Amino acid sequence: MKYDLIIIGGGPAGYLAAERASKGGLKTLLIEERYLGGVCLNEGCIPTKTLLYSAKILEGAKHGFKYGIEVRNITLNHKKVLERKDNVIKTLVTGIKSKLRKSGAEILSGHGEILGRSSKGYIVAVGDKEFAADRLLIATGSSPYVPPVEGVKEGLERGFVLTNREILEIESVPASMVVIGGGIVGLEMASYFNSAGSKVTVIEMLDHIGGNMDREISNILLETYKKKGIEFELSAKVTKIGDQKVMYEKDGKFFEKEAEKVLLSVGRKPNITGFGLENIGVEVEKGYVKTDERMKTNVQEVYAAGDVNGKLMLAHTAYREAEVAVWNMLGRKVKVNYNSIPCIVYTNPEVAWVGESEESVQEKALEYEVVKLPMLYSGRFVAENEEFDGLCKILIDRKKRTILGCHMIGNYSSEIIYGVGVMIEMQLRVEDIKDIVFPHPTVSEIIREVIFEL
């Protein structure tokens, strides 16, 4: 029962680390309590994108006449959408299990708890069995944050209030919905249910949507969704959840909004209790497991990756952190560069960004210049989009002539933004980028068009 590495948590960080470590020659045990794939695969990234793609097809059918396609009697079968979602999850979970077995990693279902450290190594218990390892990777993920608002707990118990987990199992499209929180998850679910026919209201404490999204892009997305019928209450604080209604305060006045369902989407908190972290002295800071840029904790040969360290709660961040943790276990001195990791909102239109925003460069007093163009400067974008201009905005370091950040709104942005992440990671200068050949016609050419404005 002795391993080189024990991983607690089978989400993106855990399962990728298990595969990489096993291929790297480490005898690895992966412990997962609920289901392989974690939140991302089972109740987050993948199922939400499945729903959003159905909504995109629906929108395309409704507006097909603009492209010469006339379709009548268009409906969305929500139950069929959910069935397809479940099939997608099943397919991908099967694939992950296959890859892990092929790599040689062992998978154990159950709750892992660290008991301490002995001459055998770190001791982890799963039920009445104990396992030892020279190294540990904590990848226990996160859970929805439930704010201390009156009536929220009771609303969750009676099914009026839903988290990201329950919203993906809802059997019918509600006539009306209030989304509490205008971040990425809240906006994506508002987008789906708006397309599906719900009357959606988003209540957000900040004066803008999208969190740290560049404000100019955020404003475009806001106006686009207002036109689609989504109502927004910004700078508003929810004060109470009542019987089929949400009470909130705005500008010193109190309001209430009736709804059939409420989606609670105000962030996530790391899963740090019940795993025995305190038994080996793992340092926790502000509710997160504290790690350095190599994913090391304060305890020798104990690492943490994914949502549990709270650095950037995205699945692809977890992938990179997992790889960096494993590479350092194997002797490679690599770090995570969070500034080159993209963020995406899979609404319709899509939003994607990487690096600094105009607000962050101003806050950091960096010398920069901005260049931007409508997505209409891409021939393919014009050919495939009607009545939406989109925008690509790039921030340049005035002295180094490298990219500080890129922000895009318009479909295909999610598939393009990684390229700018590479440019930031490699510190390519404007003149270097001008020598890159982009395929034509593609929406990605908008990057080249913007760069050549400099």
Side-chain angles (χ1 to χ4, degrees):
M1 296 296 187
K2 178 67 185 290
Y3 294 87
D4 297 314
L5 170 65
I6 291 178
I7 301 169
I8 303 177
Y15 72 71
L16 188 71
E19 182 189 357
R20 297 288 191 266
S22 294
K23 286 184 175 179
L26 299 180
K27 185 180 180 183
T28 303
L29 174 65
L30 174 65
I31 303 169
E32 169 53 44
E33 183 174 2
R34 294 190 65 206
Y35 35 50
L36 202 58
V39 170
C40 172
L41 182 51
N42 294 276
E43 53 193 43
C45 315
I46 300 303
T48 56
K49 303 316 164 283
T50 306
L51 268 63
L52 288 166
Y53 187 69
S54 293
K56 188 176 289 187
I57 292 176
L58 176 67
E59 293 271 329
K62 286 182 176 179
H63 300 284
F65 66 92
K66 298 176 182 178
Y67 305 87
I69 307 297
E70 295 185 4
V71 184
R72 294 177 175 83
N73 301 320
I74 304 163
T75 59
L76 180 140
N77 187 327
H78 183 68
K79 289 186 178 180
K80 288 289 186 182
V81 173
L82 294 187
E83 287 175 10
R84 180 173 181 271
K85 178 260 298 183
D86 292 338
N87 288 333
V88 168
I89 292 172
K90 183 178 179 181
T91 298
L92 294 176
V93 169
T94 301
I96 290 171
K97 288 180 179 177
S98 175
K99 290 183 70 175
L100 286 172
R101 292 194 181 101
K102 187 176 180 180
S103 72
E106 294 182 35
I107 307 170
L108 181 61
S109 179
H111 177 79
E113 183 175 357
I114 304 166
L115 300 181
R117 189 174 185 181
S118 70
S119 58
K120 297 179 180 179
Y122 292 102
I123 308 301
V124 179
V126 181
D128 58 358
K129 296 181 179 180
E130 294 183 3
F131 306 86
D134 297 323
R135 306 170 187 83
L136 295 177
L137 175 63
I138 302 162
T140 48
S142 64
S143 302
Y145 172 68
V146 179
V149 173
E150 183 181 351
V152 167
K153 183 179 179 181
E154 293 79 5
L156 286 166
E157 289 174 351
R158 69 175 187 269
F160 172 53
V161 179
L162 311 172
T163 69
N164 67 289
R165 180 178 300 167
E166 296 86 24
I167 195 69
L168 294 170
E169 301 297 332
I170 189 171
E171 293 184 353
S172 61
V173 175
S176 58
M177 175 181 290
V178 168
V179 178
I180 303 176
I184 291 178
V185 175
L187 291 175
E188 290 183 349
M189 288 295 91
S191 173
Y192 173 77
F193 284 99
N194 168 255
S195 296
S198 294
K199 179 63 178 175
V200 179
T201 301
V202 177
I203 301 177
E204 167 59 50
M205 287 187 66
L206 300 176
D207 63 355
H208 62 278
I209 60 172
N212 62 351
M213 185 187 298
D214 184 271
R215 196 65 56 85
E216 183 175 9
I217 301 293
S218 171
N219 289 337
I220 294 173
L221 185 64
L222 177 69
E223 293 305 315
T224 300
Y225 269 92
K226 282 182 177 179
K227 292 178 182 178
K228 291 189 174 189
I230 298 178
E231 295 182 3
F232 290 88
E233 295 293 345
L234 305 180
S235 301
K237 180 182 179 181
V238 173
T239 57
K240 183 180 179 180
I241 302 294
D243 185 15
Q244 301 303 119
K245 62 182 66 175
V246 177
M247 281 72 94
Y248 61 96
E249 180 184 0
K250 180 175 180 177
D251 299 328
K253 299 178 181 179
F254 291 88
F255 305 87
E256 62 181 43
K257 175 72 70 171
E258 292 187 357
E260 188 177 326
K261 293 291 182 181
V262 173
L263 172 62
L264 190 63
S265 182
V266 290
R268 302 183 65 82
K269 61 177 183 179
N271 298 324
I272 59 172
T273 58
F275 299 100
L277 303 182
E278 66 281 359
N279 294 333
I280 54 173
V282 172
E283 184 178 357
V284 174
E285 184 177 71
K286 296 180 180 179
Y288 303 100
V289 173
K290 186 177 180 180
T291 60
D292 63 14
E293 54 197 357
R294 291 188 169 89
M295 301 300 104
K296 294 182 178 181
T297 70
N298 63 306
V299 181
Q300 184 178 6
E301 295 298 346
V302 177
Y303 299 74
D307 285 4
V308 74
N309 68 28
K311 293 181 181 295
L312 188 59
M313 289 184 170
L314 299 168
H316 49 281
T317 304
Y319 286 147
R320 180 56 182 163
E321 289 176 341
E323 289 178 331
V324 166
V326 171
W327 298 158
N328 278 281
M329 293 177 197
L330 295 173
R332 287 179 56 189
K333 303 299 182 183
V334 293
K335 305 176 182 178
V336 178
N337 179 7
Y338 292 97
N339 201 49
S340 62
I341 295 177
C343 297
I344 300 165
V345 185
Y346 294 86
T347 49
N348 185 14
E350 295 178 348
V351 178
W353 69 93
V354 63
E356 305 286 353
S357 66
E358 193 158 5
E359 289 72 36
S360 68
V361 293
Q362 291 172 358
E363 184 179 326
K364 295 176 182 179
L366 301 177
E367 292 189 33
Y368 74 99
E369 57 184 291
V370 178
V371 59
K372 54 191 174 184
L373 288 173
M375 297 288 275
L376 296 177
Y377 275 69
S378 157
R380 185 176 177 187
F381 188 86
V382 175
E384 298 185 7
N385 290 271
E386 289 283 339
E387 298 181 1
F388 183 71
D389 296 349
L391 184 70
C392 179
K393 175 179 182 178
I394 295 179
L395 309 175
I396 301 294
D397 186 306
R398 186 165 287 164
K399 292 182 179 179
K400 297 180 181 178
R401 307 302 291 166
T402 54
I403 295 179
L404 291 169
C406 176
H407 305 264
M408 308 174 72
I409 180 167
N411 290 335
Y412 294 108
S413 296
S414 63
E415 299 290 345
I416 298 168
I417 198 65
Y418 89 93
V420 187
V422 172
M423 296 171 188
I424 292 175
E425 180 73 24
M426 302 302 294
Q427 287 288 290
L428 296 183
R429 297 173 298 113
V430 168
E431 294 307 314
D432 299 325
I433 299 168
K434 287 181 178 180
D435 288 336
I436 296 174
V437 177
F438 289 77
H440 176 79
T442 61
V443 182
S444 68
E445 289 177 286
I446 191 64
I447 304 298
R448 177 178 173 85
E449 293 292 337
V450 173
I451 290 296
F452 267 91
E453 289 292 302
L454 292 165

